[in-house]
Amino acid sequence: MSFRKREDLLESLMKTNPFMNKAKKVINKKVAQYTQPKSNNMEAATTKAMNHQVKEPTNSNIPSKIKTEEALSNKRPAQIQSPLEEAIKDHDAGIKGNKLAVKKAYASLKELAKKQPKNLEIKAYYGSATTLLARDANSVTDKMKYALEGLKQLDEVVETSPDLILARFLRGNVCYRLPELYFQRTSTAIEDFSYLVTAFEGDSSILSEAEYTEVLKNLVEAYKRTNQLEKATDYQGKLKALKHGGHFNEADDNHKVVNSNYEVSNEGLTDEAMEYYQRALYGDADDVKEAMNFFDVFVLTNPSPEVEMIHIDLQSMQGRDSINTYEMFGSAIKSMKAMDSLINEHPSLYELRAIRSRHCLRLPELFFRRAAIAVSDIETLLKAESYLKEAGANTHHQLLFDLGFAYEKLDMLEAAHETWNKLLKLRPSKEIKDSVQEKLSIHSYKEIDLRTLSTVTKEKLYETAKEMHHLGAKGSKVAAKQSLEAWEKAKDAFPDCEIAKTYYAASVALMGKFANDPQEMFGETIKGLKLLKSCIKSDDPELKYLRGCIYMCLPEGFFHTSDKAAKDFKSVKSAYENNRENAPITKEQYVKLLYDLGHLYKKTSFIDKAKKTWKTLLKEDPHSEYARRIAHQVGEEE
């Protein structure tokens, strides 16, 4: 956080924030330290460097020397099979824009990779061809999926053989051209291009001078993209020396640009700060507001990168809880950019990546497409032995669970299952184990032939269709699709049946959850809501609970259904409490209903009703996870 930002924030908080009085003395002392600039010359140099415009990346083919037998004599087998040569030709044509060639290359290389799984050259080209599929895909979900799959292949090749020039070149160019906002892989491009530069300066036979020049240009732009201006200047010097026939010497350190003009204290997080943050992560809007009040001051007195990162995350949470859609999206985008910038400034601080990965997974993937960044961050953390050792086994296990969740968001279910099964072998806590097993159970659903349902009884049809719907609501896209088809059959067979019409409407709304774009999502959801509005005529608690759960899950800023959810839940609550012997919902559903209803009351400013509802929850099941979440809130309000 810049000095000006701190100064503006301090001035705005002096009269409004309850934490300011006890922090005034500390703040004044810190501000006195911050106002000592290092050097006016450095500030001018930074400003000049920041104003340098970054050019758009251009397409380039694989260097001709890399593709020759001579250049690859030490990098791949001497005898290359003709199918591989053909696949490489298709791959190169695909780079130039031939979509049909991309598909041919992908199919050929996939088959070759199966036959020769240890051939790293094939695997590298296969990874690159997969990312070309991402480039040509029409669906954003497919773009993300294929890009991640291709990157995974390329990463594995480089990890196995870091000196393989071909893999470095392919991965570097792929990462350089991926949108940084969604993948955060410019740092990988920098790693690979830097390696190629060093390798070329030791053996100029691996690239032509023109190809080396292109790598240098890409490296300069990559450093500028990540705001590493002094390094960009260094490699810009290499380019100038190359044009003038100079030698490739390291740039003089005397002209390095400094990005910060003020001394900053890095006192870091305290137990009190972490308690506020944890409450915000797992609590409601009031917990977020209270944590924000604390961190508005704390970030001034403890301006470490970790503290600033949490402050950014809390700002995003406030936007998430807003009923104003402009604030909701604006806050998320602003936070995304701020987090990315902070990590670019401090790439070796692992805690920043842990916070960003959680933030990415919290955002709706359909709108923000951040799951790929979560994958990258989590994989970085899982490779950092020092971080894992200090963080402990529980953090390690949670990271693996989150990695599987990120793959699930990207519709990479095979990778998700592989990750979760690996996690189960590590004997995680009961809570994580139960979550993993539930995920695996949801995705174990196999599509059935719906024609078989035409011969069963009405009761059996409804039982099967309800199971499909509930699995779909938990995350099974296949079950959700079949639920819609099954309930459409039931509605057609029994047009006057309230149950069939309600579950059909709920299934229509549910399909919005699995849409490929926002327009489709809104269309399906609105269609379902219109049907739900009129299909329930009786006081059937089961149907009202179903509708209330749908209303509860919808973003208030878009659909304004909180009051409708509360109305349905109140009706179900009364029905359960008046007939416990033949209850219309399970006790587990009842406890969750109390938890959700309390939040709905708080959201609509009925604090007393929220408090009363949560007291009922604590009495009903004091050991449940929902009771633990709201215990401190009930205690504070008494």
Side-chain angles (χ1 to χ4, degrees):
M1 180 180 289
S2 67
F3 167 68
R4 183 177 294 279
K5 283 185 179 180
R6 292 192 191 94
E7 192 175 47
D8 291 343
L9 180 58
L10 175 61
E11 183 177 350
S12 67
L13 295 174
M14 288 300 289
K15 295 181 180 180
T16 59
N17 194 298
F19 291 96
M20 286 301 298
N21 289 332
K22 76 174 186 178
K24 271 184 183 178
K25 292 182 180 180
V26 180
I27 293 170
N28 290 336
K29 182 179 179 181
K30 297 290 182 185
V31 171
Q33 294 175 354
Y34 299 151
T35 53
Q36 302 300 319
K38 281 187 177 180
S39 166
N40 291 332
N41 292 334
M42 290 179 180
E43 182 176 5
T46 302
T47 303
K48 181 177 180 180
M50 290 290 286
N51 289 335
H52 189 85
Q53 296 296 313
V54 178
K55 295 187 293 184
E56 290 294 322
T58 57
N59 290 326
S60 66
N61 298 329
I62 298 175
S64 57
K65 283 195 176 183
I66 285 183
K67 293 187 291 185
T68 63
E69 285 296 323
E70 292 78 13
L72 289 174
S73 60
N74 295 322
K75 314 295 187 303
R76 64 185 186 184
Q79 297 297 325
I80 301 177
Q81 298 178 357
S82 59
L84 177 56
E85 289 180 323
E86 201 63 35
I88 292 174
K89 288 180 182 178
D90 288 331
H91 172 272
D92 294 349
I95 289 177
K96 295 176 181 178
N98 188 325
K99 295 183 180 181
L100 180 61
V102 170
K103 293 180 180 179
K104 287 177 61 181
Y106 174 79
S108 300
L109 290 164
K110 183 177 182 180
E111 189 64 28
L112 287 169
K114 287 182 180 178
K115 294 178 180 178
Q116 302 179 55
K118 295 183 179 181
N119 188 317
L120 297 182
E121 180 194 1
I122 292 175
K123 190 171 183 178
Y125 273 114
Y126 177 40
S128 179
T130 306
T131 65
L132 290 175
L133 280 183
R135 180 198 67 187
D136 298 338
N138 294 321
S139 163
V140 178
T141 300
D142 285 344
K143 285 181 179 291
M144 303 292 282
K145 175 183 176 181
Y146 287 127
L148 263 291
E149 288 178 351
L151 285 172
K152 187 176 182 181
Q153 296 284 347
L154 287 165
D155 287 343
E156 288 175 357
V157 174
V158 174
E159 286 177 11
T160 303
S161 182
D163 297 329
L164 186 60
I165 297 296
L166 173 67
R168 289 285 190 173
F169 189 88
L170 289 171
R171 189 177 72 163
N173 278 282
V174 167
C175 292
Y176 178 71
R177 285 166 180 79
L178 287 173
E180 182 71 357
L181 183 63
Y182 300 115
F183 292 93
Q184 291 290 295
R185 294 291 292 222
T186 302
S187 59
T188 307
I190 288 173
E191 176 191 335
D192 290 338
F193 289 149
S194 299
Y195 181 90
L196 291 171
V197 169
T198 302
F200 177 83
E201 292 170 2
D203 178 6
S204 60
S205 68
I206 66 170
L207 301 169
S208 69
E209 186 172 294
E211 292 158 353
Y212 173 69
T213 301
E214 186 67 21
V215 169
L216 278 178
K217 288 180 179 178
N218 290 347
L219 189 53
V220 169
E221 295 305 319
Y223 274 127
K224 289 178 180 177
R225 187 187 298 171
T226 55
N227 202 30
Q228 299 183 65
L229 303 179
E230 57 182 287
K231 292 184 178 179
T233 303
D234 288 345
Y235 284 96
Q236 188 72 48
K238 288 180 180 290
L239 270 173
K240 290 180 180 179
L242 185 64
K243 290 178 181 179
H244 293 89
H247 299 287
F248 306 119
N249 295 323
E250 291 297 320
D252 191 345
D253 288 340
N254 293 331
H255 68 274
K256 287 186 177 180
V257 178
V258 178
N259 289 325
S260 175
N261 295 324
Y262 300 97
E263 291 289 345
V264 176
S265 170
N266 289 326
E267 296 180 11
L269 293 164
T270 63
D271 290 341
E272 182 184 20
M274 282 304 300
E275 183 178 351
Y276 277 108
Y277 181 49
Q278 290 294 324
R279 284 189 181 184
L281 281 174
Y282 304 108
D284 59 13
D286 287 343
D287 293 304
V288 173
K289 182 179 179 181
E290 187 174 6
M292 194 68 195
N293 282 338
F294 176 85
F295 271 89
D296 277 342
V297 175
F298 192 73
V299 73
L300 294 171
T301 60
N302 299 266
S304 70
E306 294 88 346
V307 173
E308 186 172 353
M309 195 71 160
I310 290 177
H311 191 236
I312 294 168
D313 197 22
L314 290 169
Q315 290 172 332
S316 177
M317 291 182 204
Q318 282 195 316
R320 173 201 63 190
D321 296 333
S322 173
I323 62 173
N324 183 307
T325 53
Y326 177 80
E327 290 180 4
M328 189 186 304
F329 277 91
S331 175
I333 293 171
K334 183 179 178 181
S335 298
M336 285 160 50
K337 292 181 177 179
M339 285 184 174
D340 294 347
S341 177
L342 196 57
I343 287 179
N344 285 336
E345 292 176 20
H346 308 279
S348 62
L349 292 182
Y350 293 123
E351 187 56 39
L352 304 188
R353 293 184 182 273
I355 295 170
R356 183 172 68 175
S357 66
R358 289 195 296 266
H359 179 259
C360 291
L361 294 178
R362 201 171 62 232
L363 293 173
E365 181 67 6
L366 190 63
F367 292 105
F368 298 102
R369 304 294 178 181
R370 295 283 283 184
I373 293 179
V375 169
S376 176
D377 282 339
I378 295 171
E379 287 182 340
T380 298
L381 295 175
L382 289 172
K383 293 173 185 175
E385 295 182 6
S386 59
Y387 171 80
L388 293 179
K389 184 176 180 180
E390 183 178 352
N394 288 338
T395 297
H396 183 195
H397 298 162
Q398 185 64 51
L399 285 171
L400 283 171
F401 179 81
D402 290 345
L403 180 59
F405 181 47
Y407 282 135
E408 180 187 37
K409 277 176 165 277
L410 292 163
D411 202 26
M412 297 171 66
L413 296 183
E414 185 176 341
H417 292 177
E418 181 182 340
T419 303
W420 286 329
N421 284 320
K422 178 181 177 181
L423 172 56
L424 288 177
K425 293 178 181 179
L426 299 179
R427 297 183 179 179
S429 66
K430 183 180 184 302
E431 182 180 359
I432 292 180
K433 181 180 178 181
D434 290 345
S435 297
V436 170
Q437 289 177 336
E438 182 180 23
K439 286 285 189 183
L440 293 173
S441 174
I442 291 168
H443 294 298
S444 66
Y445 175 83
K446 301 298 182 183
E447 188 173 2
I448 66 171
D449 186 350
L450 292 178
R451 290 175 298 182
T452 60
L453 297 180
S454 60
T455 60
V456 301
T457 63
K458 177 181 178 181
E459 290 73 18
K460 182 62 177 177
L461 170 61
Y462 281 23
E463 178 186 348
T464 303
K466 285 180 183 180
E467 291 175 0
M468 291 176 181
H469 179 82
H470 294 318
L471 279 174
K474 289 181 177 181
S476 172
K477 184 177 181 179
V478 178
K481 182 180 178 182
Q482 290 216 293
S483 168
L484 178 61
E485 294 174 6
W487 283 114
E488 187 171 19
K489 289 179 180 292
K491 177 177 68 70
D492 293 341
F494 311 103
D496 297 325
C497 178
E498 188 177 49
I499 295 175
K501 289 191 292 185
T502 302
Y503 268 96
Y504 171 72
S507 296
V508 171
L510 178 60
M511 288 308 299
K513 178 178 182 179
F514 302 102
N516 289 321
D517 60 71
Q519 184 177 357
E520 182 185 353
M521 185 274 286
F522 281 113
E524 293 295 325
T525 303
I526 292 171
K527 179 182 176 182
L529 290 178
K530 286 181 178 179
L531 294 171
L532 280 171
K533 185 177 181 181
S534 58
C535 62
I536 300 178
K537 304 295 184 182
S538 68
D539 289 326
D540 188 330
E542 178 191 356
L543 301 183
K544 287 193 172 183
Y545 180 74
L546 174 65
R547 185 172 67 181
C549 288
I550 292 174
Y551 286 153
M552 174 76 186
C553 293
L554 296 174
E556 183 68 7
F558 289 119
F559 298 102
H560 309 291
T561 53
S562 292
D563 57 337
K564 296 177 183 178
K567 184 177 179 180
D568 279 341
F569 282 168
K570 283 192 294 182
S571 176
V572 177
K573 176 176 178 291
S574 297
Y576 180 90
E577 292 170 350
N578 293 330
N579 189 14
R580 287 176 178 264
E581 292 183 0
N582 190 24
I585 59 174
T586 66
K587 180 179 178 180
E588 182 181 358
Q589 290 174 322
Y590 174 63
V591 171
K592 185 179 186 304
L593 181 149
L594 293 174
Y595 176 79
D596 291 337
L597 183 56
H599 280 296
L600 289 168
Y601 280 139
K602 285 196 72 173
K603 187 183 293 186
T604 50
S605 301
F606 290 103
I607 306 301
D608 290 340
K609 289 185 177 181
K611 177 180 176 181
K612 183 178 179 181
T613 302
W614 282 339
K615 281 186 174 180
T616 303
L617 189 161
L618 292 175
K619 183 178 179 181
E620 182 73 22
D621 193 350
H623 303 296
S624 69
E625 61 172 308
Y626 302 110
R628 290 196 298 272
R629 291 181 189 178
I630 52 90
H632 75 278
Q633 297 186 51
V634 175
E636 289 170 359
E637 290 169 0
E638 288 181 331

